[in-house]
Amino acid sequence: MTHSASPMPTALLKLSSDGVSKSVKMSPAVLKLVTDDVPLVEVSATLSKLVKETCKRSELRDELFLMVLRTTRANDDARSAIRAWELTHLTAATVCPSRDFVGFVTEYINECAHADRNSREVRALAVKALNALKKTMKCGMRRHAPITEEIEAIANDRFLSTIVFFLDETFEELPYTAQARSIHWSPYDPVGVVNADP
C-alpha cells in the first residue's frame, strides 16, 4: 500500500456496498489534496466533507485514515509528501480511528516521526500528527463534522473564540482550541464551569 497518482478503484477495507461506493468517491478527493497545490480554504472545505461522511458512517473512519496514510508511503515528490503529512495532521486532529485501528495508525505515525530517512519537515509534521491523534483519541469521535474555520485554525495552530453571555447582561470572549469537544451538552443544562481538556 504505497502512494499512487491514480485513485483507488475499490475500498481498502472490507466495507458494505454503500461504504465501498462512498470510499471510491472519497479517494480522488484525498488524492487531489495531496498531488495538487490546493489552497487551505479548499483543503478545509474538502476535508470537512470527508469528515462529514465519517460522522454519518463510522466504518469510513478507518478507510479515510488508510487513504491518507497511503499518500505518505513511498511518496517521492517532496512537496507532495509534505502536503500528505499536512493532510495526515488535519485528519488526525478531526477524525478518531476505531479502537481496533488506532494501534496501527499510532505506530505508523510514530515510526515516521523518528525515521532518519524522512526529511526534517516530514518528521516535524509526523510529530504534530501524532500529538493531534492523541488529543483526538482522548476527546473521542466528533458528532458533527468540523466547519472550515475549525480546520483552518488547526492547520495554522491558532485558537478560535466564542462569546459567552451571562445572566447579568455581561459577556466575555473565550478562546478555545478547535480540537476541544464537549462530551455532553444541552442548552437546558445548568450554567457552570466546564473543564475542556483539548
Side-chain angles (χ1 to χ4, degrees), residues 7-31:
M8 295 296 297
T10 187
L12 296 167
L13 298 172
K14 187 176 180 180
L15 303 172
S16 66
S17 59
D18 186 45
V20 170
S21 67
K22 290 291 181 186
S23 172
V24 170
K25 290 178 184 174
M26 289 168 55
S27 181
V30 170
L31 198 58

PDB file of all heavy atoms in Angstrom, residues 7-31:
ATOM      1  N   PRO A   7      -6.435   7.163  -8.334  1.00  0.00           N
ATOM      2  CA  PRO A   7      -7.302   6.876  -7.186  1.00  0.00           C
ATOM      3  C   PRO A   7      -7.572   5.378  -7.063  1.00  0.00           C
ATOM      4  O   PRO A   7      -7.414   4.617  -8.010  1.00  0.00           O
ATOM      5  CB  PRO A   7      -8.583   7.643  -7.494  1.00  0.00           C
ATOM      6  CG  PRO A   7      -8.538   7.981  -8.926  1.00  0.00           C
ATOM      7  CD  PRO A   7      -7.108   7.925  -9.363  1.00  0.00           C
ATOM      8  N   MET A   8      -7.984   4.974  -5.876  1.00  0.00           N
ATOM      9  CA  MET A   8      -8.268   3.568  -5.604  1.00  0.00           C
ATOM     10  C   MET A   8      -9.542   3.141  -6.340  1.00  0.00           C
ATOM     11  O   MET A   8     -10.548   3.834  -6.267  1.00  0.00           O
ATOM     12  CB  MET A   8      -8.449   3.341  -4.103  1.00  0.00           C
ATOM     13  CG  MET A   8      -7.213   3.597  -3.286  1.00  0.00           C
ATOM     14  SD  MET A   8      -5.872   2.472  -3.659  1.00  0.00           S
ATOM     15  CE  MET A   8      -6.578   0.925  -3.190  1.00  0.00           C
ATOM     16  N   PRO A   9      -9.507   1.992  -7.027  1.00  0.00           N
ATOM     17  CA  PRO A   9     -10.708   1.526  -7.732  1.00  0.00           C
ATOM     18  C   PRO A   9     -11.739   0.882  -6.806  1.00  0.00           C
ATOM     19  O   PRO A   9     -12.888   0.692  -7.180  1.00  0.00           O
ATOM     20  CB  PRO A   9     -10.154   0.504  -8.729  1.00  0.00           C
ATOM     21  CG  PRO A   9      -8.893   0.014  -8.103  1.00  0.00           C
ATOM     22  CD  PRO A   9      -8.348   1.164  -7.302  1.00  0.00           C
ATOM     23  N   THR A  10     -11.323   0.545  -5.587  1.00  0.00           N
ATOM     24  CA  THR A  10     -12.229  -0.066  -4.613  1.00  0.00           C
ATOM     25  C   THR A  10     -11.780   0.328  -3.212  1.00  0.00           C
ATOM     26  O   THR A  10     -10.757   0.991  -3.037  1.00  0.00           O
ATOM     27  CB  THR A  10     -12.242  -1.599  -4.773  1.00  0.00           C
ATOM     28  OG1 THR A  10     -13.257  -2.143  -3.922  1.00  0.00           O
ATOM     29  CG2 THR A  10     -10.900  -2.208  -4.449  1.00  0.00           C
ATOM     30  N   ALA A  11     -12.528  -0.089  -2.218  1.00  0.00           N
ATOM     31  CA  ALA A  11     -12.192   0.240  -0.828  1.00  0.00           C
ATOM     32  C   ALA A  11     -10.951  -0.541  -0.383  1.00  0.00           C
ATOM     33  O   ALA A  11     -10.666  -1.628  -0.886  1.00  0.00           O
ATOM     34  CB  ALA A  11     -13.374  -0.086   0.078  1.00  0.00           C
ATOM     35  N   LEU A  12     -10.231   0.026   0.577  1.00  0.00           N
ATOM     36  CA  LEU A  12      -9.051  -0.634   1.118  1.00  0.00           C
ATOM     37  C   LEU A  12      -9.430  -1.645   2.197  1.00  0.00           C
ATOM     38  O   LEU A  12      -8.706  -2.599   2.434  1.00  0.00           O
ATOM     39  CB  LEU A  12      -8.085   0.407   1.689  1.00  0.00           C
ATOM     40  CG  LEU A  12      -7.506   1.376   0.669  1.00  0.00           C
ATOM     41  CD1 LEU A  12      -6.819   2.548   1.357  1.00  0.00           C
ATOM     42  CD2 LEU A  12      -6.534   0.665  -0.243  1.00  0.00           C
ATOM     43  N   LEU A  13     -10.551  -1.423   2.860  1.00  0.00           N
ATOM     44  CA  LEU A  13     -11.036  -2.310   3.900  1.00  0.00           C
ATOM     45  C   LEU A  13     -12.300  -3.013   3.436  1.00  0.00           C
ATOM     46  O   LEU A  13     -12.919  -2.614   2.452  1.00  0.00           O
ATOM     47  CB  LEU A  13     -11.330  -1.506   5.179  1.00  0.00           C
ATOM     48  CG  LEU A  13     -10.149  -0.804   5.825  1.00  0.00           C
ATOM     49  CD1 LEU A  13     -10.624   0.096   6.953  1.00  0.00           C
ATOM     50  CD2 LEU A  13      -9.141  -1.812   6.347  1.00  0.00           C
ATOM     51  N   LYS A  14     -12.688  -4.030   4.172  1.00  0.00           N
ATOM     52  CA  LYS A  14     -13.932  -4.728   3.856  1.00  0.00           C
ATOM     53  C   LYS A  14     -15.090  -3.885   4.385  1.00  0.00           C
ATOM     54  O   LYS A  14     -15.251  -3.727   5.594  1.00  0.00           O
ATOM     55  CB  LYS A  14     -13.940  -6.108   4.508  1.00  0.00           C
ATOM     56  CG  LYS A  14     -15.105  -6.960   4.113  1.00  0.00           C
ATOM     57  CD  LYS A  14     -14.996  -8.340   4.708  1.00  0.00           C
ATOM     58  CE  LYS A  14     -16.186  -9.176   4.284  1.00  0.00           C
ATOM     59  NZ  LYS A  14     -16.104 -10.526   4.847  1.00  0.00           N
ATOM     60  N   LEU A  15     -15.881  -3.330   3.454  1.00  0.00           N
ATOM     61  CA  LEU A  15     -16.982  -2.442   3.803  1.00  0.00           C
ATOM     62  C   LEU A  15     -18.278  -2.934   3.170  1.00  0.00           C
ATOM     63  O   LEU A  15     -18.256  -3.778   2.275  1.00  0.00           O
ATOM     64  CB  LEU A  15     -16.695  -1.023   3.305  1.00  0.00           C
ATOM     65  CG  LEU A  15     -15.420  -0.333   3.778  1.00  0.00           C
ATOM     66  CD1 LEU A  15     -15.218   0.970   3.036  1.00  0.00           C
ATOM     67  CD2 LEU A  15     -15.473  -0.085   5.270  1.00  0.00           C
ATOM     68  N   SER A  16     -19.375  -2.347   3.618  1.00  0.00           N
ATOM     69  CA  SER A  16     -20.654  -2.625   2.973  1.00  0.00           C
ATOM     70  C   SER A  16     -20.629  -2.047   1.559  1.00  0.00           C
ATOM     71  O   SER A  16     -19.760  -1.243   1.219  1.00  0.00           O
ATOM     72  CB  SER A  16     -21.791  -2.000   3.788  1.00  0.00           C
ATOM     73  OG  SER A  16     -21.686  -0.587   3.747  1.00  0.00           O
ATOM     74  N   SER A  17     -21.583  -2.421   0.742  1.00  0.00           N
ATOM     75  CA  SER A  17     -21.605  -1.928  -0.639  1.00  0.00           C
ATOM     76  C   SER A  17     -21.746  -0.407  -0.674  1.00  0.00           C
ATOM     77  O   SER A  17     -21.126   0.263  -1.504  1.00  0.00           O
ATOM     78  CB  SER A  17     -22.725  -2.588  -1.432  1.00  0.00           C
ATOM     79  OG  SER A  17     -23.977  -2.321  -0.832  1.00  0.00           O
ATOM     80  N   ASP A  18     -22.538   0.156   0.245  1.00  0.00           N
ATOM     81  CA  ASP A  18     -22.664   1.607   0.326  1.00  0.00           C
ATOM     82  C   ASP A  18     -21.335   2.240   0.752  1.00  0.00           C
ATOM     83  O   ASP A  18     -20.930   3.270   0.222  1.00  0.00           O
ATOM     84  CB  ASP A  18     -23.777   1.982   1.307  1.00  0.00           C
ATOM     85  CG  ASP A  18     -24.054   3.469   1.328  1.00  0.00           C
ATOM     86  OD1 ASP A  18     -24.134   4.078   0.240  1.00  0.00           O
ATOM     87  OD2 ASP A  18     -24.176   4.032   2.439  1.00  0.00           O
ATOM     88  N   GLY A  19     -20.655   1.594   1.708  1.00  0.00           N
ATOM     89  CA  GLY A  19     -19.356   2.083   2.152  1.00  0.00           C
ATOM     90  C   GLY A  19     -18.316   2.048   1.052  1.00  0.00           C
ATOM     91  O   GLY A  19     -17.494   2.957   0.918  1.00  0.00           O
ATOM     92  N   VAL A  20     -18.346   0.994   0.240  1.00  0.00           N
ATOM     93  CA  VAL A  20     -17.396   0.880  -0.885  1.00  0.00           C
ATOM     94  C   VAL A  20     -17.637   2.010  -1.881  1.00  0.00           C
ATOM     95  O   VAL A  20     -16.683   2.644  -2.361  1.00  0.00           O
ATOM     96  CB  VAL A  20     -17.517  -0.502  -1.567  1.00  0.00           C
ATOM     97  CG1 VAL A  20     -16.723  -0.531  -2.865  1.00  0.00           C
ATOM     98  CG2 VAL A  20     -17.034  -1.594  -0.634  1.00  0.00           C
ATOM     99  N   SER A  21     -18.905   2.283  -2.205  1.00  0.00           N
ATOM    100  CA  SER A  21     -19.180   3.351  -3.180  1.00  0.00           C
ATOM    101  C   SER A  21     -18.759   4.713  -2.631  1.00  0.00           C
ATOM    102  O   SER A  21     -18.226   5.541  -3.370  1.00  0.00           O
ATOM    103  CB  SER A  21     -20.653   3.353  -3.586  1.00  0.00           C
ATOM    104  OG  SER A  21     -21.474   3.713  -2.501  1.00  0.00           O
ATOM    105  N   LYS A  22     -18.960   4.962  -1.333  1.00  0.00           N
ATOM    106  CA  LYS A  22     -18.505   6.225  -0.728  1.00  0.00           C
ATOM    107  C   LYS A  22     -16.982   6.299  -0.718  1.00  0.00           C
ATOM    108  O   LYS A  22     -16.392   7.344  -0.973  1.00  0.00           O
ATOM    109  CB  LYS A  22     -19.041   6.363   0.702  1.00  0.00           C
ATOM    110  CG  LYS A  22     -20.526   6.592   0.770  1.00  0.00           C
ATOM    111  CD  LYS A  22     -20.888   7.946   0.241  1.00  0.00           C
ATOM    112  CE  LYS A  22     -22.372   8.173   0.348  1.00  0.00           C
ATOM    113  NZ  LYS A  22     -22.790   9.409  -0.284  1.00  0.00           N
ATOM    114  N   SER A  23     -16.333   5.171  -0.438  1.00  0.00           N
ATOM    115  CA  SER A  23     -14.870   5.133  -0.417  1.00  0.00           C
ATOM    116  C   SER A  23     -14.290   5.454  -1.786  1.00  0.00           C
ATOM    117  O   SER A  23     -13.313   6.203  -1.898  1.00  0.00           O
ATOM    118  CB  SER A  23     -14.395   3.758   0.048  1.00  0.00           C
ATOM    119  OG  SER A  23     -13.010   3.641  -0.086  1.00  0.00           O
ATOM    120  N   VAL A  24     -14.888   4.896  -2.823  1.00  0.00           N
ATOM    121  CA  VAL A  24     -14.415   5.149  -4.191  1.00  0.00           C
ATOM    122  C   VAL A  24     -14.575   6.620  -4.543  1.00  0.00           C
ATOM    123  O   VAL A  24     -13.737   7.197  -5.245  1.00  0.00           O
ATOM    124  CB  VAL A  24     -15.164   4.229  -5.189  1.00  0.00           C
ATOM    125  CG1 VAL A  24     -14.889   4.630  -6.628  1.00  0.00           C
ATOM    126  CG2 VAL A  24     -14.777   2.777  -4.960  1.00  0.00           C
ATOM    127  N   LYS A  25     -15.612   7.270  -4.021  1.00  0.00           N
ATOM    128  CA  LYS A  25     -15.811   8.703  -4.265  1.00  0.00           C
ATOM    129  C   LYS A  25     -14.858   9.559  -3.433  1.00  0.00           C
ATOM    130  O   LYS A  25     -14.478  10.650  -3.845  1.00  0.00           O
ATOM    131  CB  LYS A  25     -17.255   9.094  -3.946  1.00  0.00           C
ATOM    132  CG  LYS A  25     -18.259   8.537  -4.925  1.00  0.00           C
ATOM    133  CD  LYS A  25     -19.670   8.908  -4.532  1.00  0.00           C
ATOM    134  CE  LYS A  25     -20.681   8.261  -5.460  1.00  0.00           C
ATOM    135  NZ  LYS A  25     -22.067   8.491  -5.012  1.00  0.00           N
ATOM    136  N   MET A  26     -14.461   9.070  -2.250  1.00  0.00           N
ATOM    137  CA  MET A  26     -13.560   9.825  -1.378  1.00  0.00           C
ATOM    138  C   MET A  26     -12.118   9.798  -1.875  1.00  0.00           C
ATOM    139  O   MET A  26     -11.368  10.761  -1.691  1.00  0.00           O
ATOM    140  CB  MET A  26     -13.622   9.257   0.053  1.00  0.00           C
ATOM    141  CG  MET A  26     -14.915   9.540   0.777  1.00  0.00           C
ATOM    142  SD  MET A  26     -15.130   8.592   2.311  1.00  0.00           S
ATOM    143  CE  MET A  26     -13.681   8.983   3.240  1.00  0.00           C
ATOM    144  N   SER A  27     -11.721   8.709  -2.516  1.00  0.00           N
ATOM    145  CA  SER A  27     -10.328   8.518  -2.919  1.00  0.00           C
ATOM    146  C   SER A  27      -9.784   9.616  -3.843  1.00  0.00           C
ATOM    147  O   SER A  27      -8.698  10.142  -3.594  1.00  0.00           O
ATOM    148  CB  SER A  27     -10.174   7.141  -3.565  1.00  0.00           C
ATOM    149  OG  SER A  27      -8.848   6.915  -3.934  1.00  0.00           O
ATOM    150  N   PRO A  28     -10.504  10.032  -4.899  1.00  0.00           N
ATOM    151  CA  PRO A  28      -9.962  11.112  -5.744  1.00  0.00           C
ATOM    152  C   PRO A  28      -9.831  12.442  -4.994  1.00  0.00           C
ATOM    153  O   PRO A  28      -8.910  13.216  -5.264  1.00  0.00           O
ATOM    154  CB  PRO A  28     -10.982  11.233  -6.880  1.00  0.00           C
ATOM    155  CG  PRO A  28     -11.764   9.987  -6.866  1.00  0.00           C
ATOM    156  CD  PRO A  28     -11.721   9.464  -5.478  1.00  0.00           C
ATOM    157  N   ALA A  29     -10.733  12.688  -4.046  1.00  0.00           N
ATOM    158  CA  ALA A  29     -10.657  13.932  -3.277  1.00  0.00           C
ATOM    159  C   ALA A  29      -9.396  13.961  -2.421  1.00  0.00           C
ATOM    160  O   ALA A  29      -8.687  14.973  -2.366  1.00  0.00           O
ATOM    161  CB  ALA A  29     -11.904  14.091  -2.408  1.00  0.00           C
ATOM    162  N   VAL A  30      -9.095  12.848  -1.762  1.00  0.00           N
ATOM    163  CA  VAL A  30      -7.874  12.758  -0.942  1.00  0.00           C
ATOM    164  C   VAL A  30      -6.651  12.906  -1.821  1.00  0.00           C
ATOM    165  O   VAL A  30      -5.707  13.641  -1.496  1.00  0.00           O
ATOM    166  CB  VAL A  30      -7.837  11.419  -0.165  1.00  0.00           C
ATOM    167  CG1 VAL A  30      -6.486  11.198   0.486  1.00  0.00           C
ATOM    168  CG2 VAL A  30      -8.937  11.382   0.889  1.00  0.00           C
ATOM    169  N   LEU A  31      -6.649  12.243  -2.947  1.00  0.00           N
ATOM    170  CA  LEU A  31      -5.508  12.299  -3.867  1.00  0.00           C
ATOM    171  C   LEU A  31      -5.279  13.716  -4.384  1.00  0.00           C
ATOM    172  O   LEU A  31      -4.136  14.175  -4.493  1.00  0.00           O
ATOM    173  CB  LEU A  31      -5.733  11.330  -5.022  1.00  0.00           C
ATOM    174  CG  LEU A  31      -4.513  10.943  -5.827  1.00  0.00           C
ATOM    175  CD1 LEU A  31      -3.458  10.306  -4.942  1.00  0.00           C
ATOM    176  CD2 LEU A  31      -4.901   9.997  -6.936  1.00  0.00           C
TER     177      LEU A  31
END
